[in-house]
Amino acid sequence: MSECSRSSDCGFSPSPLPFLPDELVEEILSRLPVRSLMRFRCVCKSWMSLISDPYLVKKHLHLSTQTTNFTHHRIILSATTAEFHLKSCSVSSLLNNPSTICEDLKYPVKNKFRHDGIVGSCNGLLCFAIKGDFVLLWNPSTRVSKKSPPLGNNWRPGCYTDFGIGYDKKNDDYKVVAVFCDPNVSFSESKVKVYSMANNSWRKIQDFLMVSHLTKIPENL
């Protein structure tokens, strides 16, 4: 890590940091909290490159999911007020102290009075449904977000859309499934689309029949 050096304001030449093998630096960084990693990106160019490397990101995620003390896990809460607020608290601190204070999250939305529905989370990535026609994928740790194109369904009163998020390990992609339902008729085909975060596009898949009203079945069949 020869690029990392101490800065000095006394006119002396900066002295290099003690040498650490890249493998050791990688092991140390992969076990740190995400917030620390975000700060350490500014240490030097080599650390910036290493922390942004997809290999380290996956390794950090794998190690985080293997911990049993919940040091890398957080709970996300939405406040039921006039304005839409998101709060977060550490699971480990909550287990040790039930009166843990939650932190406010800077949700990337312009309209604070629009209450977006939390679809779910996957590997630290939060998914929100916006007016049943868009989804927003947001990483609160890196503050990186991506909004999907519109679904383009013909909505009318009574219609609704169910969403679900997951990770496609084969294609290394996060995907959202949207099922559009119209309960205004007894039998209808629910429209199913899959959003790919990598391609930022929706793909229509085979519809399926939905029974929206119960039908009384005679007992003497």
Side-chain angles (χ1 to χ4, degrees):
M1 310 303 291
S2 59
E3 294 183 19
C4 299
S5 59
R6 297 188 184 93
S7 60
S8 174
D9 297 329
C10 301
F12 297 103
S13 300
S15 58
L17 288 172
F19 176 79
L20 291 176
D22 289 346
E23 294 79 6
L24 180 57
V25 175
E26 178 185 298
E27 286 297 321
I28 295 174
L29 294 178
S30 64
R31 285 166 169 77
L32 294 178
V34 177
R35 291 186 176 182
S36 298
L37 292 178
M38 295 300 100
R39 293 196 300 268
F40 292 162
R41 290 186 302 177
C42 302
V43 172
C44 58
K45 291 182 179 179
S46 59
W47 278 30
M48 174 67 176
S49 177
L50 181 59
I51 293 173
S52 304
D53 190 290
Y55 173 78
L56 182 69
V57 174
K58 292 180 181 179
K59 184 175 182 178
H60 184 275
L61 175 62
H62 174 73
L63 293 175
S64 300
T65 56
Q66 300 301 314
T67 58
T68 57
N69 53 6
F70 302 104
T71 54
H72 296 288
H73 296 73
R74 303 188 68 84
I75 295 178
I76 307 297
L77 305 171
S78 59
T80 54
T81 60
E83 295 185 3
F84 185 69
H85 291 287
L86 288 176
K87 295 181 179 293
S88 170
C89 67
S90 169
V91 174
S92 58
S93 62
L94 184 62
L95 293 175
N96 297 324
N97 182 12
S99 59
T100 298
I101 299 177
C102 295
E103 303 176 7
D104 290 323
L105 295 178
K106 295 182 179 180
Y107 178 59
V109 61
K110 296 180 180 180
N111 185 0
K112 295 183 178 181
F113 295 95
R114 188 188 69 206
H115 286 234
D116 299 336
I118 301 179
V119 174
S121 65
C122 184
N123 296 338
L125 196 65
L126 298 180
C127 179
F128 297 85
I130 303 176
K131 298 181 180 180
D133 198 37
F134 301 85
V135 292
L136 177 72
L137 300 180
W138 177 50
N139 189 326
S141 298
T142 62
R143 298 182 181 179
V144 175
S145 63
K146 177 176 284 190
K147 184 179 179 181
S148 75
L151 274 166
N153 293 320
N154 295 322
W155 186 90
R156 59 177 176 171
C159 297
Y160 62 93
T161 306
D162 287 330
F163 296 92
I165 182 175
Y167 176 66
D168 182 356
K169 184 177 181 180
K170 181 179 179 180
N171 297 302
D172 189 21
D173 188 13
Y174 289 93
K175 296 184 177 181
V176 179
V177 178
V179 182
F180 177 75
C181 304
D182 185 356
N184 294 292
V185 294
S186 297
F187 295 92
S188 64
E189 286 189 344
S190 297
K191 297 179 180 179
V192 185
K193 295 183 180 180
V194 178
Y195 170 74
S196 166
M197 185 178 182
N199 300 326
N200 194 32
S201 62
W202 292 98
R203 177 174 60 90
K204 189 176 184 297
I205 63 176
Q206 184 177 0
D207 299 336
F208 65 91
L209 190 65
M210 178 193 72
V211 180
S212 57
H213 300 286
L214 296 177
T215 302
K216 184 177 181 180
I217 302 176
E219 297 180 357
N220 55 343
L221 292 177

